[in-house]
Amino acid sequence: MKEAEKEEWKFTGLDDRLRGRDFLSLHDFTRAEIWYLLNLAKELKAGQKAGNPYPVLAGKSLGMIFTKASTRTRVSFEVGMYQLGGQALFLSAADIQLGRGEPIKDMARVLSRYLDGIMIRTFAHSDVVELARYASIPVINGLTDLLHPCQVLADLLTVIEHKGQTDGLQLTYIGDGNNMAHELMLGGAKAGMRVVICTPDAYRPDPEIVRLAMADARENGGTITLLSDPQRAATGADVLYTDVWASMGQEGEAAVRAKAFQGFQLNRELVGLARPEAIILHCLPAHRDEEITAEVLESPQAVVFDEAENRLHVQKAIMAAVM
Ligand code: CP
Ligand code: NVA
């Protein structure tokens, strides 16, 4: 490559501070590092829209391991890698030896000889930690039963785009104390938000994640509050968030959960208790008229497609920064 061309490929925000790092949870990153990624994402988004792509991963390959279904994660990582000049390989667990029992620690070391990064979506978070431990290349968490950091980074970008900032805003999540609730606590804490998690008592978030998030919140000027009264939780919210009541892998519990979550539907009444200019987020896919009414999901306050789009931009930032 000629020197002049190299110059064109530079974009102002990128440096080596996160090179080689795994992206398993926002808890592992300082607030400054999260802001670095968000600023990169903004720059990449603006560049892409202006017809100035940044092929900084030319010649690099990302392996994408999926043991669960996906629309957004699969397509946005694959397209994101393509836009950055690299290539992505879709590795369904049904087709690779992992599905036939090859140990994660062996797969990690083999894939590290071929690839420049691995994105994985799977059930047990401990499997992703093990993959990261044995891989010599960066591992990106594309969702586990415990956490979903790429989604929450996209959520923070969406909040900043619509609200101008995150500090001091009340983010109320109503629903299951699941991977989304966990990562929203961790990411919201780093972003200085007042995070309210409202669940039925039997579906509270993991106490260890709550403990970590509370410590992160104390350091960054945020708060974490656990409630079981949706009306109280929704009152005064700047951001309202919900997610499915039965996550991937919990399909067999769907009927029991549908009963347990009665009263936790994000509907017009709860939205009416939030601030008038509140935005509504949902990681998608949504089940209309279960956790959120069709009316609320289709209302102008719901910015869920901006949110889905931002998966692409933040993941490009993560890949450009760590790979
Ligand atoms: N929100 C999200 O992760 O969507 P997918 O399951 O479609 O990837
Ligand atoms: N909690 C949901 C999120 C999907 C993006 C699940 O794990 O299925």
Side-chain angles (χ1 to χ4, degrees), residues 66 69-76 121 142-143 148 151 180 241 248 282-285 308 311 315:
F66 284 91
S70 167
T71 298
R72 279 143 289 269
T73 304
R74 179 178 174 182
V75 177
S76 55
R121 162 169 290 197
L143 178 145
H148 197 1
Q151 181 66 54
M180 281 312 312
Y241 205 118
M248 288 181 276
H282 189 309
C283 56
L284 304 178
R311 290 290 303 277
Q315 289 159 196

Side-chain angles (χ1 to χ4, degrees), residues 22 24 104 124-135 139 144:
D22 298 314
L24 304 192
I104 288 173
H125 189 72
S126 55
D127 286 351
V128 177
V129 173
E130 188 181 357
L131 179 68
R133 180 170 162 220
Y134 285 96
V139 171
T144 64

Side-chain angles (χ1 to χ4, degrees), residues 101-114:
E102 182 168 26
I104 288 173
K105 60 184 180 184
D106 290 358
M107 180 182 70
R109 287 172 287 181
V110 171
L111 292 181
S112 296
R113 303 289 179 108
Y114 304 135

Side-chain angles (χ1 to χ4, degrees), residues 35-50:
W35 252 252
Y36 164 73
L37 288 172
L38 289 170
N39 284 328
L40 266 187
K42 279 191 213 165
E43 201 178 343
L44 287 165
K45 182 174 182 175
Q48 191 69 33
K49 286 190 189 287

Side-chain angles (χ1 to χ4, degrees), residues 60-66 77 81 87-91 111 114-121 131 137-140 319 323:
K60 296 203 173 175
S61 303
L62 175 81
M64 309 189 301
I65 301 169
F66 284 91
F77 266 103
M81 198 59 196
Q87 62 159 348
L89 289 82
F90 175 65
L91 305 170
L111 292 181
Y114 304 135
L115 300 168
D116 302 283
I118 302 172
M119 192 286 301
I120 179 164
R121 162 169 290 197
L131 179 68
I137 54 177
V139 171
I140 299 170
M319 291 189 289
M323 284 175 62

Side-chain angles (χ1 to χ4, degrees), residues 297-320:
L297 190 69
E298 298 289 354
S299 69
Q301 280 171 273
V303 292
V304 296
F305 299 108
D306 293 347
E307 181 187 8
E309 180 190 329
N310 281 336
R311 290 290 303 277
L312 171 67
H313 307 300
V314 300
Q315 289 159 196
K316 284 171 71 181
I318 295 165
M319 291 189 289

Side-chain angles (χ1 to χ4, degrees), residues 73-320:
T73 304
R74 179 178 174 182
V75 177
S76 55
F77 266 103
E78 191 161 336
V79 170
M81 198 59 196
Y82 176 72
Q83 290 181 355
L84 290 171
Q87 62 159 348
L89 289 82
F90 175 65
L91 305 170
S92 161
D95 302 324
I96 57 174
Q97 299 288 9
L98 175 71
R100 296 177 61 246
E102 182 168 26
I104 288 173
K105 60 184 180 184
D106 290 358
M107 180 182 70
R109 287 172 287 181
V110 171
L111 292 181
S112 296
R113 303 289 179 108
Y114 304 135
L115 300 168
D116 302 283
I118 302 172
M119 192 286 301
I120 179 164
R121 162 169 290 197
T122 194
F123 293 87
H125 189 72
S126 55
D127 286 351
V128 177
V129 173
E130 188 181 357
L131 179 68
R133 180 170 162 220
Y134 285 96
S136 57
I137 54 177
V139 171
I140 299 170
N141 177 3
L143 178 145
T144 64
D145 289 346
L146 192 70
L147 298 171
H148 197 1
C150 295
Q151 181 66 54
V152 173
L153 195 62
D155 299 338
L156 292 178
L157 181 59
T158 311
V159 170
I160 291 167
E161 285 175 344
H162 286 273
K163 297 269 152 214
Q165 49 136 11
T166 56
D167 287 285
L169 295 184
Q170 180 182 326
L171 184 157
T172 292
Y173 171 94
I174 296 174
D176 184 22
N178 61 12
N179 44 11
M180 281 312 312
H182 291 159
E183 196 70 54
L184 283 167
M185 285 194 290
L186 295 169
K190 296 270 177 171
M193 301 180 91
R194 294 182 286 123
V195 182
V196 178
I197 303 289
C198 180
T199 68
D201 287 335
Y203 294 92
R204 287 194 156 209
D206 182 318
E208 177 57 15
I209 303 289
V210 174
R211 191 185 67 74
L212 292 177
M214 284 184 166
D216 286 347
R218 268 194 299 277
E219 258 182 44
N220 294 285
T223 57
I224 305 290
T225 308
L226 302 188
L227 295 177
S228 51
D229 175 353
Q231 276 78 19
R232 205 176 135 206
T235 301
D238 298 286
V239 181
L240 282 170
Y241 205 118
T242 190
D243 182 21
V244 292
W245 292 337
S247 284
M248 288 181 276
Q250 298 172 334
E251 289 79 5
E253 297 172 31
V256 175
R257 286 170 168 267
K259 259 199 202 139
F261 286 95
Q262 286 312 305
F264 288 77
Q265 182 189 62
L266 193 49
N267 54 25
R268 189 201 306 197
E269 184 213 334
L270 288 186
V271 173
L273 296 170
R275 294 172 74 91
E277 68 283 9
I279 58 167
I280 293 154
L281 298 178
H282 189 309
C283 56
L284 304 178
H287 292 167
R288 282 171 169 74
D289 299 325
E290 288 182 31
E291 77 274 4
I292 187 165
T293 59
E295 178 190 37
V296 167
L297 190 69
E298 298 289 354
S299 69
Q301 280 171 273
V303 292
V304 296
F305 299 108
D306 293 347
E307 181 187 8
E309 180 190 329
N310 281 336
R311 290 290 303 277
L312 171 67
H313 307 300
V314 300
Q315 289 159 196
K316 284 171 71 181
I318 295 165
M319 291 189 289

